Amino acid sequence: MKTFIRKAVFPVAGFGTRFLPATKAMPKELLPIINKPLIQYAVEDAIGAGCKTLVFVTGRNKRAIEDHFDRNIELELALEASGRKEEAQMVRHIIPKDVECIFVRQPEQLGLGHAVLCAERAVGNEPFVVLLADDFLISTGASVTSDLINSFNKTGKCQLSLVEVDKENVSKYGIVKPGGDKKSVRGLVEKPNVENAPSCLASIGRYALTPEIFDILRHQEPGHGNEIQLADSINKMALDGKVEGVLFEGERFDCGSFQGYLKAINTVARKMFGK
């Protein structure tokens, strides 16, 4: 039975403390890569993969994200009046007409798992994808979200986007315990010590999940950092043979760090303007 994923969840409630003071009043997800904010790249990835409902899990001081994806009639008219019709069209069509945006509030930051759980009523009893804007990805082929959805459609199992990381960096990620075949995932350990890491395959910020995850999250005990970790709930599903991994092919930049953010800007600048 073929299942199509049409809903995408964007957890965007974090404070972005590593980028203070820039993020004191501006959401970190609106930090630009040249002329486009991080969250817009993630949104375009989801829309390109066929998602028609975008669920943003927000927090206090995140109204600017909603404003970014809303119409700004005054700006559009001002651009048209000055003859800048191409730019007017660009800001008018940031979100296609057939795509719906839903904004829900995470009242307290209790972890990524809790943020995903906050989206339950908007998602309903449907499979969905989760995209973290901090992970800026440039795919060599189809988009990473398209790859995850295509893999999900074949088996109906949850899908994780995976990259291989250096051994000394495994403590920064959720690390996969590989199964017997190429795609199988037998477990997921959040930020293990180097000596306890089951592999060097790290789960990055793209997931295709079934609605079964909500019930697991609802009963999930706090884990690493005393937060409700999405990785812990995915691990429970992996133990039941319900999770697979898709190796990401392309360039990845951790834009939650200064170094990764600057590398992303430099890479996109070279692609746009040449060396």
Side-chain angles (χ1 to χ4, degrees):
M1 181 179 67
K2 201 160 188 174
T3 305
F4 295 94
I5 292 178
R6 291 291 181 260
K7 292 184 177 180
V9 173
F10 303 87
V12 293
F15 289 127
T17 53
R18 280 183 284 184
F19 282 87
L20 287 170
T23 51
K24 179 177 180 290
M26 180 181 72
K28 65 176 180 177
E29 294 82 9
L30 290 181
L31 290 171
I33 303 293
I34 311 300
N35 65 333
K36 190 186 299 184
L38 284 166
I39 187 63
Q40 188 172 333
Y41 283 98
V43 162
E44 290 175 356
D45 187 359
I47 293 173
C51 294
K52 297 299 183 182
T53 301
L54 312 180
V55 183
F56 298 86
V57 182
T58 70
R60 288 182 57 83
N61 301 321
K62 295 285 182 160
R63 179 60 188 270
I65 294 175
E66 185 173 350
D67 290 342
H68 178 74
F69 291 109
D70 197 2
R71 290 283 302 273
N72 187 332
I73 305 298
E74 293 171 340
L75 174 60
E76 293 168 17
L77 292 175
L79 289 169
E80 289 178 344
S82 60
R84 301 163 69 179
K85 294 184 178 180
E86 185 175 339
E87 289 158 289
Q89 288 295 314
M90 177 183 65
V91 298
R92 179 177 293 124
H93 298 297
I94 286 179
I95 294 292
K97 291 182 179 180
D98 62 342
V99 173
E100 176 187 25
C101 292
I102 299 174
F103 295 85
V104 299
R105 178 68 68 91
Q106 183 184 19
E108 187 177 0
Q109 292 187 34
L110 299 176
L112 176 58
H114 181 260
V116 172
L117 183 59
C118 289
E120 180 180 13
R121 292 180 68 181
V123 170
N125 192 34
E126 297 181 34
F128 62 103
V129 289
V130 176
L131 298 92
L132 307 184
D134 281 359
D135 264 322
F136 184 74
L137 306 174
I138 302 175
S139 301
T140 55
S143 79
V144 59
T145 304
S146 293
D147 284 343
L148 290 178
I149 291 176
N150 289 337
S151 293
F152 177 87
N153 288 340
K154 292 175 183 177
T155 66
K157 294 184 178 182
C158 295
Q159 304 289 326
L160 308 181
S161 187
L162 306 177
V163 296
E164 190 160 359
V165 298
D166 295 332
K167 190 171 183 178
E168 59 267 24
N169 290 323
V170 294
S171 61
K172 301 176 182 178
Y173 300 92
I175 299 296
V176 159
K177 180 180 180 181
D181 59 59
K182 184 178 176 182
K183 294 191 64 177
S184 176
V185 172
R186 295 290 300 277
L188 183 63
V189 183
E190 181 68 9
K191 299 180 179 177
N193 296 326
V194 173
E195 58 271 17
N196 297 325
S199 74
C200 288
L201 285 174
S203 172
I204 57 174
R206 300 289 188 277
Y207 312 82
L209 302 171
T210 62
E212 180 182 347
I213 195 74
F214 291 127
D215 192 54
I216 300 173
L217 285 168
R218 203 167 10 257
H219 300 95
Q220 183 67 56
E221 293 294 325
H224 184 86
N226 200 35
E227 295 183 334
I228 306 298
Q229 295 292 346
L230 180 62
D232 292 340
S233 292
I234 292 174
N235 179 63
K236 292 181 179 178
M237 298 188 73
L239 294 173
D240 291 332
K242 297 178 179 179
V243 180
E244 296 178 330
V246 179
L247 196 62
F248 170 67
E249 296 183 5
E251 297 177 88
R252 173 185 176 267
F253 305 89
D254 177 9
C255 288
S257 70
F258 288 119
Q259 296 88 342
Y261 178 59
L262 291 174
K263 286 179 181 178
I265 291 174
N266 289 333
T267 300
V268 173
R270 285 197 300 270
K271 292 179 183 294
M272 289 179 67
F273 308 116
K275 293 184 179 180

